[in-house]
Amino acid sequence: MKNFNGEILFLDRADINTDEIIPAKYLTEITKEALKPYLLEDLKLETFDPKKDIEGKKAILTKQNFGCGSSREHAPWALEMNDINVVIAVNFARIFKQNMFNNGMLAVELDEKTIQDLFNTFQGKKTDLITKFEKGIFIFESEDQRMEVPFTITDFDRSLITAGGWVEYADLHY
Amino acid sequence: MGKTIAEKIFDAHHVDTPSGDIHVIKLDAVFCHEITTPVAINDLVSRGKDRVFDAGKIKAVIDHVTPAKDSKTAEQGKLIREWTRRQNIKDFFDIGRNGVCHALFPEKGFVRPGYTVIMGDSHTCTHGAFGAFAAGVGTTDLEVGILKGVCAFHYPQTIKITVTGELQKGVYAKDVILSIIGKLGVNGATNKVIEFTGPVVDRMNMEERMTLCNMAVEAGGTSGICYPDMITVEYLWDFIKGDYPSKEDALKDFKKWQSDSDAVYDEEITHDVSGLKPLTTVGYKPDQLKSIEDMGNTKVDQVYIGSCTNGRIEDLRAAAEVLKGKKISDDVRGVLSPATPGVYKQALKEGLIDIFMEAGFCVTNPTCGACLGMSNGVLASGEVCASTTNRNFNGRMGKGGMIHLMSPACAAATALTGYITSEDKIQ
């Protein structure tokens, strides 16, 4: 299994699309590694600078409809190459979410109120995510705050994570 | 309890239910292009599984950047080209025969009612216009599709949109789908199929239905879908006439792909389009809309007519009708990309290309290039483009550029005046 623990990057906006996650001009790359420097390059957010704020982050917390737009799997790959293997949001675009699990990465939905509570409590502070995958629990931890949040994913998504991705799963079953 | 068309298609293709509402379904067609397929090919090679489930069911094209613009895109083309030769994939469309995938593959008769189709491209939902379940997927799903001929989806929930009323002159399928996206929002149909039905859809030709279904994903939809009817039969007849004694027999067979009257929907919406006016997008999301008449003097630098949404012959006809005998503004760059060689040739035959060129348009080869800022019409920072494409995301057609989506007729009118204009303002 991939690493689902570490410092959180807060992206406080809904509808962050795949062109913002990885612009189309980099789709001419044929290796995942080449995408690493360009993650979130075109995302315009007041408190976000891709050159400074991605380094060292291992998880993303964001709002609604993350990953909308193109089907490009380059979006999760660009995250993966930056060692960000978990995104937590109110909800996701279908293809992006499937692409995450197909790569053995976690895309987890929490209800809107919980997400807002997490933003209110932790945004602006150095916050770590600890993932208890088997138990289905996230622990959010800053210097002065700690929150435990249960999460659920489907059994199928769980089996993709443990199999290492959809190719491995499909090869075994079909 | 009745079933929706999408449920019927799923049940007819069922392979496995690994858990809950996840269904693994058998695929009738796997489409491939040179942007999302090469990584899948390389991965299959590295796993020692360089093979395909059925070479006849895989169709491939180079369409996003063509001709290659640099060494990297040349490598992508080379990878998919050599793969199709190696795997004996006969339906491969290289330069000279290539066009925008979601316009080219329907033209070739590759999609039939009741089919299941995937492609590593979000606008694959276009093919639902034929009464198929057609969904965009990522590269890993594509890879498994290529290798095993299956894909996993949630069992489909459907939003039924009954389009009623009469479209006014100058209002097109593009305006209808923009207004529907405005109603649903950009994630209003996430994980759902959007079924387009009702008298307005019944009157639409296949190209208009493709425009509708093409943008289902802009509301988050997995697939758009229309019921097949005699219009579908007529469009496909050259490809299916060996299979049916008459068009009526084909229609009778196609009719099995229709939702039952007691089918259960996630949501049912009646959408009256009688009062609908020509629309365009503002901002960076396709659900942010304004009537063109409310746009004031919004100046544009470029007008782009093309893409899998609006690069088909009917679209070129509508735009040429507006441009005929006129010149575009000196301040505007007009770019036309007929979506396929077939569209291009037909437009030449009808004298449409002459009209575009006399008006001052540059006519490029068929390609997706400009729509996603890869080639053939990329915007500079601060530039504004009136475009017949499907996405107005920030940076989509070039970093710092602003895109206003609209119908081909309004794009043509805009090219003439230099600011966003509806067709009826042109004398």
Side-chain angles (χ1 to χ4, degrees), chain B residues 181-236:
Chain B
I181 294 162
K183 206 168 217 180
L184 294 173
V186 289
N187 63 348
T190 300
N191 279 324
K192 289 165 195 167
V193 170
I194 307 179
E195 190 174 297
F196 299 102
T197 180
V200 175
V201 181
D202 291 344
R203 288 194 294 270
M204 284 183 177
N205 60 35
M206 288 312 299
E207 301 183 322
E208 295 173 299
R209 292 178 193 179
M210 283 190 255
T211 300
L212 276 190
C213 290
N214 174 269
M215 290 188 74
V217 70
E218 306 312 328
T222 306
S223 180
I225 205 160
C226 299
Y227 302 156
D229 59 9
M230 195 42 110
I231 292 168
T232 322
V233 173
E234 294 281 0
Y235 186 98
L236 290 173

Side-chain angles (χ1 to χ4, degrees), chain B residues 12-201:
Chain B
H13 292 80
H14 181 263
V15 173
D16 186 23
T17 313
S19 85
D21 73 333
I22 303 290
H23 283 220
V24 175
I25 56 171
K26 195 166 69 171
L27 300 170
D28 295 310
V30 176
F31 294 160
C32 301
H33 66 54
E34 88 282 13
I35 296 294
T36 52
T37 315
V39 179
I41 296 169
N42 283 343
D43 195 62
L44 287 169
V45 170
S46 73
R47 289 171 190 271
K49 296 179 191 301
D50 184 20
R51 53 182 190 264
V52 300
F53 83 106
D54 184 339
K57 288 181 176 166
I58 296 178
K59 319 288 177 186
V61 65
I62 296 177
D63 62 356
H64 274 57
V65 186
T66 179
K69 63 171 180 172
D70 54 21
S71 304
K72 282 180 177 172
T73 50
E75 287 296 329
Q76 287 181 308
K78 186 179 173 198
L79 249 157
I80 195 166
R81 186 178 297 120
E82 289 180 347
W83 173 69
T84 56
R85 284 180 190 147
R86 188 163 78 234
Q87 299 299 343
N88 207 21
I89 295 163
K90 301 286 185 214
D91 291 313
F92 169 57
F93 299 87
D94 205 340
I95 211 157
R97 298 176 298 127
N98 59 356
V100 176
C101 50
H102 308 307
L104 183 73
F105 292 152
E107 240 180 52
K108 300 291 175 192
F110 292 156
V111 186
R112 309 286 168 80
Y115 266 27
T116 52
V117 182
I118 64 163
M119 182 173 196
D121 190 285
S122 61
H123 293 109
T124 307
C125 50
T126 311
H127 306 283
F130 290 84
F133 173 82
V137 296
T139 293
T140 304
D141 275 341
L142 179 74
E143 183 175 335
V144 170
I146 288 167
L147 184 65
K148 299 281 179 181
V150 298
C151 196
F153 293 96
H154 289 279
Y155 194 66
Q157 291 183 304
T158 300
I159 299 176
K160 179 184 186 177
I161 300 188
T162 308
V163 187
T164 62
E166 288 280 345
L167 285 177
Q168 304 297 306
K169 191 176 179 306
V171 182
Y172 297 88
K174 181 64 163 285
D175 302 295
V176 174
I177 187 60
L178 285 173
S179 67
I180 290 169
I181 294 162
K183 206 168 217 180
L184 294 173
V186 289
N187 63 348
T190 300
N191 279 324
K192 289 165 195 167
V193 170
I194 307 179
E195 190 174 297
F196 299 102
T197 180
V200 175
V201 181

Side-chain angles (χ1 to χ4, degrees), chain B residues 298-303 379 382-386 401-404 420:
Chain B
T298 307
K299 282 186 73 66
V300 306
D301 303 287
Q302 179 171 299
V303 168
L379 300 178
E383 288 190 333
V384 177
C385 183
M402 168 59 88
I403 303 158
H404 297 282
I420 292 179

Side-chain angles (χ1 to χ4, degrees), chain A residues 15 27 29 73 171 174, chain B residues 16 49 72 76 139-140 285:
Chain A
D15 305 315
L27 303 187
E29 301 294 347
E73 203 158 311
D171 206 37
Y174 307 112
Chain B
D16 186 23
K49 296 179 191 301
K72 282 180 177 172
Q76 287 181 308
T139 293
T140 304
K285 292 195 288 177

Side-chain angles (χ1 to χ4, degrees), chain A residues 76-115:
Chain A
W77 294 335
L79 292 168
E80 184 188 9
M81 290 304 113
N82 282 277
D83 204 20
I84 296 173
N85 297 314
V86 48
V87 182
I88 303 166
V90 177
N91 47 47
F92 295 91
R94 175 189 62 89
I95 305 173
F96 177 85
K97 185 178 176 186
Q98 194 60 51
N99 286 343
M100 289 285 285
F101 285 105
N102 282 350
N103 281 280
M105 299 161 76
L106 262 180
V108 178
E109 293 169 354
L110 299 177
D111 66 81
E112 200 167 343
K113 190 188 167 301
T114 305
I115 293 276

